[in-house]
Amino acid sequence: VYLQPFGDPDPENSIAATASAEDGGYRLIGVPPGTWDVLAVKDAQQGTFSGVVVQVGNVSHADVVIE
C-alpha cells in the first residue's frame, strides 16, 4: 500500500508505504495533513482510492478495491 501525492500514480513518488495484514487492513501513521491518493498493489492487480483528506488529530479511512 502506497501513499501518493494527490493525482500522482507513480509509486516511485510515494511518501509512505506499508504492507497489508492478512485481512487486507493497513495503517499509515504520521501522515502529513493534506489530500492524498492510496495505491494498493497485489501481484499484477492494483486499486486506487483518490482524494483522502488527512487532518491533524483525525483518523482517515480509504477502502481500496483491487481489481
Side-chain angles (χ1 to χ4, degrees):
V1 178
Y2 300 93
L3 185 67
Q4 306 287 118
F6 182 65
D8 185 346
D10 187 350
E12 293 291 323
N13 297 329
S14 66
I15 66 139
T18 190
S20 63
E22 274 190 43
D23 67 358
Y26 65 94
R27 288 182 182 202
L28 292 165
I29 298 170
V31 174
T35 303
W36 302 97
D37 291 345
V38 177
L39 170 66
V41 178
K42 174 136 173 77
D43 302 323
Q45 299 176 313
Q46 66 181 25
T48 303
F49 191 101
S50 185
V52 180
V53 177
V54 174
Q55 298 175 330
V56 174
N58 291 333
V59 175
S60 300
H61 296 273
D63 293 325
V64 181
V65 177
I66 296 177
E67 299 180 318

